[in-house]
Amino acid sequence: MIRASSIRVLFALFVRAGLLQAAQDDDILIAGFEGRDYGAWKTTGEAFGPGPAHGTLPNQMDVSGYEGEGLVNSFYKGDGTTGTLTSPPLKIQRRFVNFLIGGGMHPGKTCINLLVDGKVVRTATGPNDRPGGSERLDWHTWDTSELVGRQAVIQIVDQQTGGWGHINIDQIVQSSRRLQQEIVTGPLYRETYRPQFHFTPATNWTNDPNGLVYYEGEYHLFFQHNPKGINWGNMTWGHAVSRDLVHWEQLPNAIEPDRLGTIFSGSAVVDWNNTAGFQKGPEKPIVAIYTSAGGTSPDSKGQPFTQSIAYSLDRGRTWTKYEKNPVLAHIVGSNRDPKVVWHQPTKQWIMTLFKDGNAFGFFSSPDLKRWTHLHDITVSGCGECPDFFEMPVDGNPAETKWVWTAANGHYLVGAFDGKRFVPETGPHRADWGANYYAVQTYSDIPASDGRRIQIAWMNGGKYPKMPFNQQMSFPCELKLRRTPEGLRICRLPVREIERLHAKEYSWADRVVQPGENLLAGVQGELFDICAEIEVGPAADVGPAVPAATPPLSPSGRGAGGEGIPTEAKHVSLILRGEPLTYSVTDKRLTCLGRAATLAPVGGRIKLQVLLDRTSIEVFGNDGCVSMTSCFLPRADTKPLALQTTGGPVKIVSLKVYELRSAWGK
Ligand code: FRU
């Protein structure tokens, strides 16, 4: 065993890298697996190879989260190999044994065991997939208080072949403190993995945002909700309202399952002209158009999927279903997700509906009750939750296009005359992150505001032990820009994020050298980060968006200065231990296992990053590239770091805003 003094050097490296909090003085390192071989540890079988692996092995997904250079990785020659790796006898001397673990979740088969007197007294497996980096290692802690003074052996086991038939281990440390995240499950909105400025229901499951509509100062967010469970089921429209898209108040559920089915996704509109005839008093009706998912509940047995409407005459507080539902009969398969928009030139409602496979329909109606089929489109790679809206090009109201999006955010841009949508370009991808789905934009944003605001379900996030499941993305404003490649959608967080800005840190015209960490002094957990970085001479400029192009100086370099040598190869923002890296050479942005091309403009890139407890949203070059992803933060990480490797970079400007929680009173 090596005393902490020797591992402090290693830890110091990571502390400098901004990844870890300082090690404690009395920590005892059992094994860091930094040698060429396993030293006194003994192997059986083949799975553990001749010595520690240096990261990812051939044909393995990206292994991250280990410390130093080496780790135990039993993926040696793939999942088919098996074996054990056993420590020499050691004495338990501290209250806790901590280690980093990743890989397969097969109890007894892919695990690490603590043996006392030859008996397994503690065991742990990997998690299989980990959100935001499948093969990422994270801390696990054994409380060994009652074993202090006893002799023990640690055995790492891989007796599993096939999927996730391997185990990854690193940094086994005896300590007086626990390094594993302690999960707090209350009070409400204060839980360990509760997003602090992204909408989540108080309890239970959510998926798609539904019925996004603005009326009388309130943004309504209805959402696919299971009021009875933590997983998908019993689909009901949950309901929340906000006056600023940042602070949400959850209201009673709006639309409940009935004999036609559970309530699947759809949209909502304000019926300003009372076309449906529901209005009784001064309040304009809000009308929800949703799918009655027949056959998904005992009450609706034998019913097909149809489209129905419900209305509210009290600002969305109570809802009445139309007595002659459904308004659109079953067409095919599980046709669903009606999105309705008012088409002013022809004074009618237009619906786009998911039919089946990659097929979507367009329909028109004078009154939201009687619908006429217009035509269908087939869009490769797209299914579910369509949206359809008109947008000005480069903000010019005299030049507009119609944008059609699918659940995955892929979009078409084209023309619409009230009868036929003619796509001119697309499908294009809107987001390169891992958790961006079921996108929908707001209806009835006043013309004086004029924004097109989109919310996505951040599908697939993990929230262990939390009372809720899944979260929405932060609302983003969409812009349609003319770029050298054609018309493209750009997305940026709505400006209301400023309402949460607390402490501000700011830098300008600052060269960052390799080994330096500009953000070492930043405290906090939640951030809005805005950066403009000079990554190389303007000669590096690739295809880019003109609106983001700063003027070039006569030297041909970025307007901000003398340019930075091209040896600057990578610049990374490290967000709670997760690197967001820009490769200058490849012009690629990577974060949480996903990558997107981001060409510098005038030798510079612009980044905005929203960091919440369980999500990272990245926006490059004024939102021309966005990456929406979930993750689970490690407990031991520092909030932020900014580093460069391969040469210096120049920070033209950097503003880091610590954010308040939106749930704060
Ligand atoms: C998309 C989706 C929709 C459907 C809803 C059901 O995530 O599958 O097509 O209406 O979820 O919850």
Side-chain angles (χ1 to χ4, degrees):
M1 273 180 285
I2 311 163
R3 291 286 310 185
S5 47
S6 31
I7 69 162
R8 226 173 296 139
V9 178
L10 228 195
F11 264 79
L13 267 175
F14 283 90
V15 170
R16 212 189 55 203
L19 293 177
L20 294 176
Q21 311 282 6
Q24 246 169 242
D25 276 356
D26 62 349
D27 284 356
I28 302 169
L29 181 69
I30 296 174
F33 303 107
E34 293 301 313
R36 280 183 48 244
D37 55 34
Y38 288 119
W41 288 58
K42 295 278 173 287
T43 58
T44 64
E46 232 195 329
F48 293 91
H54 281 182
T56 310
L57 290 172
N59 302 321
Q60 191 174 27
M61 284 183 288
D62 203 23
V63 176
S64 61
Y66 56 96
E67 293 187 357
E69 303 286 318
L71 78 154
V72 175
N73 183 346
S74 78
F75 195 74
Y76 186 70
K77 295 192 181 166
D79 271 332
T81 50
T82 58
T84 60
L85 175 63
T86 308
S87 77
L90 55 97
K91 192 169 167 199
I92 306 281
Q93 297 174 72
R94 295 285 179 271
R95 212 181 133 193
F96 299 107
V97 173
N98 300 292
F99 48 88
L100 288 163
I101 186 165
M105 189 169 60
H106 302 285
K109 298 277 181 63
T110 55
C111 58
I112 177 169
N113 297 326
L114 183 70
L115 290 92
V116 173
D117 293 336
K119 288 206 196 78
V120 176
V121 292
R122 299 284 183 281
T123 186
T125 70
N128 286 354
D129 242 337
R130 223 190 267 283
S134 302
E135 291 271 13
R136 193 174 65 128
L137 280 72
D138 204 348
W139 288 110
H140 189 96
T141 299
W142 286 329
D143 186 338
T144 47
S145 347
E146 90 271 13
L147 300 170
V148 169
R150 304 287 298 273
Q151 287 284 117
V153 161
I154 291 176
Q155 188 173 50
I156 306 174
V157 177
D158 177 357
Q159 296 297 356
Q160 180 78 24
T161 59
W164 289 106
H166 64 276
I167 182 87
N168 299 335
I169 299 286
D170 197 17
Q171 206 66 21
I172 310 176
V173 192
Q174 297 206 48
S175 179
S176 52
R177 70 194 177 131
R178 161 192 287 282
L179 292 179
Q180 184 179 344
Q181 174 85 59
E182 274 188 276
I183 298 180
V184 176
T185 56
L188 215 52
Y189 299 115
R190 299 276 171 232
E191 306 93 339
T192 300
Y193 295 128
R194 173 76 73 172
Q196 294 296 295
F197 61 96
H198 287 74
F199 178 77
T200 49
T203 58
N204 291 330
W205 169 268
T206 184
N207 51 295
D208 313 351
N210 291 154
L212 301 184
V213 65
Y214 177 89
Y215 180 63
E216 297 279 306
E218 289 178 327
Y219 296 92
H220 293 265
L221 165 58
F222 301 91
F223 51 93
Q224 285 287 280
H225 189 37
N226 181 357
K228 299 181 187 158
I230 198 76
N231 293 316
W232 187 90
N234 307 304
M235 282 298 123
T236 298
W237 275 30
H239 189 195
V241 287
S242 172
R243 295 196 155 267
D244 61 6
L245 294 163
V246 173
H247 300 88
W248 295 96
E249 182 192 354
Q250 192 172 342
L251 298 176
N253 293 332
I255 310 179
E256 313 250 4
D258 56 32
R259 62 178 178 83
L260 290 177
T262 62
I263 313 299
F264 272 24
S265 288
S267 50
V269 292
V270 181
D271 188 5
W272 295 103
N273 304 319
N274 195 25
T275 61
F278 293 138
Q279 189 171 346
K280 294 209 180 87
E283 290 292 351
K284 296 294 174 194
I286 304 180
V287 181
I289 309 96
Y290 60 89
T291 298
S292 295
T296 56
S297 58
D299 281 356
S300 64
K301 205 159 171 261
Q303 295 283 347
F305 273 42
T306 55
Q307 319 312 320
S308 296
I309 59 176
Y311 59 93
S312 169
L313 303 177
D314 58 359
R315 299 160 49 248
R317 271 34 183 201
T318 59
W319 289 83
T320 307
K321 287 175 184 148
Y322 177 47
E323 71 277 9
K324 293 194 185 136
N325 277 339
V327 292
L328 186 56
H330 178 250
I331 305 164
V332 60
S334 45
N335 48 195
R336 59 186 183 274
D337 309 338
K339 173 72 172 138
V340 173
V341 61
W342 177 251
H343 187 248
Q344 181 57 29
T346 56
K347 302 210 168 26
Q348 58 179 348
W349 300 101
I350 302 296
M351 176 198 293
T352 175
L353 182 78
F354 172 57
K355 293 180 91 171
D356 226 0
N358 302 133
F360 298 83
F362 287 86
F363 302 82
S364 67
S365 170
D367 57 5
L368 297 164
K369 294 171 175 168
R370 291 165 295 152
W371 291 93
T372 307
H373 180 234
L374 296 175
H375 72 108
D376 291 342
I377 55 171
T378 301
V379 192
S380 71
C382 292
E384 303 188 322
C385 302
D387 195 355
F388 190 49
F389 45 88
E390 193 175 15
M391 287 204 80
V393 176
D394 286 330
N396 173 9
E399 188 191 358
T400 65
K401 288 285 172 193
W402 282 80
V403 176
W404 179 94
T405 66
N408 58 11
H410 293 205
Y411 61 95
L412 305 169
V413 182
F416 183 64
D417 60 2
K419 291 200 183 81
R420 200 170 185 85
F421 172 56
V422 182
E424 292 162 1
T425 175
H428 300 295
R429 194 165 170 177
D431 189 278
W432 279 260
N435 309 91
Y436 176 76
Y437 198 68
V439 300
Q440 187 174 115
T441 63
Y442 268 90
S443 184
D444 294 284
I445 300 279
S448 57
D449 177 319
R451 288 183 294 176
R452 180 56 54 179
I453 299 167
Q454 185 186 62
I455 297 180
W457 163 34
M458 294 188 74
N459 64 323
K462 299 261 164 49
Y463 308 86
K465 302 195 179 138
M466 293 296 101
F468 68 93
N469 195 356
Q470 306 297 293
Q471 71 179 81
M472 297 299 163
S473 71
F474 192 76
C476 280
E477 181 179 355
L478 305 186
K479 294 230 163 100
L480 185 60
R481 296 220 172 101
R482 200 181 297 286
T483 78
E485 293 82 46
L487 293 174
R488 292 292 184 274
I489 292 279
C490 300
R491 318 172 55 243
L492 276 181
V494 294
R495 58 174 175 270
E496 285 85 344
I497 187 67
E498 290 168 11
R499 291 176 170 246
L500 298 178
H501 283 182
K503 187 163 181 181
E504 174 183 339
Y505 304 80
S506 134
W507 293 264
D509 289 329
R510 171 78 152 74
V511 173
V512 179
Q513 299 291 345
E516 219 188 324
N517 171 16
L518 203 54
L519 302 180
V522 174
Q523 300 296 322
E525 181 194 9
L526 318 169
F527 296 98
D528 176 10
I529 303 165
C530 298
E532 187 170 358
I533 305 172
E534 193 166 308
V535 290
D540 276 357
V541 173
V545 177
T549 311
L552 292 181
S553 67
S555 69
R557 297 197 184 266
E562 66 285 10
I564 291 292
T566 37
E567 321 81 80
K569 294 290 191 292
H570 286 101
V571 54
S572 296
L573 249 175
I574 299 176
L575 310 150
R576 298 288 315 270
E578 298 294 342
L580 162 64
T581 298
Y582 184 68
S583 160
V584 177
T585 331
D586 303 338
K587 301 186 177 68
R588 257 158 83 89
L589 204 52
T590 49
C591 186
L592 296 169
R594 298 296 173 117
T597 298
L598 182 71
V601 179
R604 296 171 176 190
I605 58 161
K606 277 192 192 175
L607 292 175
Q608 183 174 2
V609 179
L610 296 184
L611 174 63
D612 199 345
R613 268 191 198 166
T614 56
S615 63
I616 298 177
E617 286 154 294
V618 181
F619 305 88
N621 288 356
D622 297 302
C624 292
V625 165
S626 74
M627 300 172 84
T628 300
S629 295
C630 292
F631 79 123
L632 279 177
R634 257 165 64 162
D636 56 328
T637 49
K638 286 246 175 160
L640 293 179
L642 187 138
Q643 298 161 349
T644 171
T645 53
V649 290
K650 181 162 153 194
I651 304 300
V652 180
S653 73
L654 173 63
K655 287 189 191 297
V656 175
Y657 302 96
E658 193 189 340
L659 299 176
R660 282 185 287 273
S661 166
W663 302 119
K665 291 285 167 257

